[in-house]
Each structure stands twice: as structure tokens, then as C-alpha cells.
Amino acid sequence: MMVSQWWNAGLMESDSMKRAGWILLILAATLLAAFLVFRTPDTDPAAMRAKYAGPPSQFVTLPDGLTVHLRDEGPRGAPVILLLHGSNADLSAWDDWAARLKDQYRIVRYDQIGHGLTGPAPDGDYIQAAFAGTIDQVADTLGIDRFVLGGNSMGGGIALAYALNHPQRLDGLVLVDAAGAPVRREGGGNIGFTLARMPGINRLMTQITPRTLVERSLRQSVSNTAIVTPASVDRYWEMLRYPGNRAATAARFGRKREPFTEKAVQNMAVPTLVMWGQEDAFIPYAAAGWFAKNLPAATSVSYPQIGHLPMQEAPDASAADLRRWLGKLPLTTQTR
């Protein structure tokens, strides 16, 4: 009797293991099929250059070997404004400002490492110092000695970090809804960036990045949703999928970020214009107050009913405010 019970129990256990094995196999096959169905492959670099790198785009190889996609417009001898876009954007974020300011200023903007048509860093380094180092290399390669440096979101945080370490090179600093203030956001945010900070999920996003996710993230970042057009969503989506950019995004968001402190910025003498959309759901308007309070040479302007991208959501007003502020500064004209 005992032998019979043992034998039957063994058969039942064997059947259970087989069923579990089949379930796991079916689950794995289902997941593989779902991956193949929903996977969004990288875009083709040649096609992206043909689509997005028409005149006045150029590709410049820097001393460290990185080839950057940039645009350099306006009079050669005019004061230079060098602009840094935000996370997962590209140099086109500044199209409206360039169109409104290049009559009087030399406007330089480029796709930062891990973004746009510049693509990933050759060494895989995405610390803030690496982004700041590219600023120097771009300026040196273009023969620019001193300039006004501006940045939006991530680009604003990089711009401020650069200003703290290289104030002698700057005539002015422009922070547009900039990252880095020690101000906590309550609610709101951006689903794409939220997922990019989640371990495991961010790696999955290097292969599966639906266009609908990109569109939703962009809509959550702005108040003036008129700028969320099919063409703008396509550009964000296609640039994000440029080979290496999604992995770069995962690497950037996987790093711990330290906010600026009052002590770090309180002696920064570079004239600074703080520009902010009052309805920014990503970096709250309170951050503008922190920068204005703690940067000694700061001037602040804000925009009602505007979100995270004032240079695109309110191009006329923001460009006019920038022009007025620049008119009060002793700007450097270029000699090279």
C-alpha cells in the first residue's frame, strides 16, 4: 500500500512538473511574441539625417572624437547665444528663438550626447561633466571665446553647472524651466521620464517605445498643447530611437542626481535670466523662485498658462524678454 501511494504521488508530482513546464514555455512564447509585436526598432541614421539635417545643419567632429549635429546661424561677428535642449529633445527645441533672434545674434545649438543626430557618447559617459565638456569643445571648434549660455530643463541644469565652473567664459546665463533646484514636485510629471527611472522598465524601453507614449509624455510637459503636432511627436519618437539614444536615456536616468545647494550658487556672479512657465507640471514654478532668490545676479520672468517649454509654447513673448535682457548686458562680439 505504501509503495503504491508513493508511486502515485510520484506520478502526480511528475505531471505537475510537466504542467508547470508547459505553462512556463507558453508564457515565455507569449512574452516573446508580444516583444516581437510591440518592439520598436531603431531608426535608420541615414534616413534621419536626410529628414532632419537639411541646411543649416552641419556635423562637426570634436577633439574627443564625437561628431555633433549643430546649427550655427546669424552674423559671424555678433554676440553668441549657445543653447542646450532638454532631456530627449534635440536642437529643434530652439527653432523659434533662432528664427526671432538670428538677425542680431549668432545662435548656436546642437544635439547633446545621447540625443538627436549626435547619438550616444563613444565612451558611454553621461555624467554632467561630460555634457559640460562638450560645451567647451563646441565653442572652441567654432572659434567662440565668450558667449551667453542658455538651457532648458536638463540643459538648464548643465548650463548652470558650466557657469559655476567657467564663469570667465560667459557674458550671461539663461535658465528656462531648468533642472537642479532642490524643490520637490507634488503630483504631475511626465510618464516617459517616470518609466525611465524605473530599473528594468527603463531597459525594456530601449526596445519597446510606443509612439503613443512619446505623445502622452509631450502633452504632459506642456500647457499650450497646440505645439504637440503629428510632426513634433514623430521627431521626438524618431530621434529617441536613433541608434544608441534609448540606451543613453536609460543610463542618464539610472544615475543619482544631486540638486544644487544655496552654498554652491550664492557667489555665482554671471548675469542670469530665469524664465519659467507657471503651469510647468514637470519642474514646478517654485523652482524659479529658488533660482531667483539664490543666484545673486538673477532676473526673473514667467509666463501664465505656459508649461515646461516657454521657448516653444510662448516663442514671441519669451524671445522678446530675452532680447530686452540681452540689451542691458555688455556682450562680447566675436573676432574670429
Side-chain angles (χ1 to χ4, degrees):
M1 184 67 177
M2 294 294 293
V3 172
S4 177
Q5 289 177 339
W6 173 82
W7 179 258
N8 289 335
L11 289 175
M12 291 175 63
E13 183 178 353
S14 177
D15 288 342
S16 296
M17 291 178 65
K18 288 181 179 178
R19 283 197 297 271
W22 276 108
I23 290 172
L24 288 175
L25 184 61
I26 293 171
L27 179 60
T30 301
L31 290 175
L32 177 60
F35 176 81
L36 295 175
V37 169
F38 293 106
R39 178 176 177 267
T40 43
D42 287 342
T43 49
D44 176 66
M48 292 299 96
R49 286 194 176 200
K51 184 174 183 178
Y52 294 117
S57 283
Q58 56 181 299
F59 290 86
V60 175
T61 300
L62 304 181
D64 68 355
L66 178 72
T67 298
V68 298
H69 171 226
L70 64 80
R71 291 189 171 184
D72 181 359
E73 302 172 87
R76 296 300 87 178
V80 174
I81 305 172
L82 194 155
L83 299 168
L84 306 176
H85 62 74
S87 184
N88 295 112
D90 69 281
L91 58 72
S92 69
W94 304 107
D95 281 354
D96 293 321
W97 273 17
R100 288 161 175 78
L101 297 168
K102 66 183 180 181
D103 61 326
Q104 186 176 354
Y105 302 99
R106 182 178 174 184
I107 309 297
V108 176
R109 56 238 169 82
Y110 63 91
D111 292 342
Q112 300 198 73
I113 50 176
H115 293 80
L117 301 179
T118 293
D123 58 2
D125 189 356
Y126 298 102
I127 62 173
Q128 195 171 66
F131 286 91
T134 304
I135 297 171
D136 271 334
Q137 291 188 68
V138 167
D140 291 343
T141 300
L142 297 179
I144 298 168
D145 298 317
R146 288 177 62 88
F147 49 95
V148 173
L149 179 63
N152 168 244
S153 194
M154 175 194 80
I158 294 167
L160 177 53
Y162 181 90
L164 292 171
N165 291 298
H166 305 279
Q168 73 285 353
R169 262 199 113 158
L170 298 183
D171 287 334
L173 175 68
V174 183
L175 302 179
V176 186
D177 293 65
V183 175
R184 293 180 62 87
R185 185 187 73 239
E186 300 295 337
N190 174 309
I191 187 173
F193 292 171
T194 299
L195 293 175
R197 293 190 182 95
M198 298 174 64
I201 297 296
N202 58 8
R203 290 298 172 185
L204 184 62
M205 289 176 67
T206 65
Q207 297 296 322
I208 300 176
T209 316
R211 185 182 183 279
T212 53
L213 176 65
V214 173
E215 180 175 3
R216 183 178 176 188
S217 295
L218 182 55
R219 287 187 180 278
Q220 290 175 331
S221 297
V222 301
S223 181
N224 177 10
T225 57
I227 72 168
V228 185
T229 64
S232 68
V233 174
D234 281 346
R235 182 164 188 142
Y236 270 94
W237 187 47
E238 291 172 346
M239 291 296 196
L240 177 59
R241 291 161 46 230
Y242 191 84
N245 283 355
R246 286 184 286 185
T249 298
R252 284 189 295 106
F253 278 94
R255 298 187 60 84
K256 184 179 180 181
R257 302 179 184 186
E258 295 293 339
F260 297 106
T261 63
E262 293 180 13
K263 182 178 180 181
V265 305
Q266 64 186 2
N267 294 318
M268 214 276 288
V270 177
T272 303
L273 178 61
V274 179
M275 314 179 82
W276 224 273
Q278 293 181 11
E279 304 301 322
D280 191 332
F282 182 55
I283 304 179
Y285 182 42
W290 188 89
F291 284 124
K293 176 184 176 182
N294 290 289
L295 290 168
T299 300
S300 182
V301 293
S302 65
Y303 305 95
Q305 301 180 337
I306 295 299
H308 190 56
L309 306 174
M311 68 284 191
Q312 293 177 275
E313 296 180 66
D316 289 329
S318 59
D321 286 335
L322 176 58
R323 191 186 288 270
R324 277 191 291 271
W325 178 76
L326 291 170
K328 302 174 184 178
L329 300 182
L331 301 178
T332 302
T333 54
Q334 302 303 306
T335 59
R336 288 192 287 168

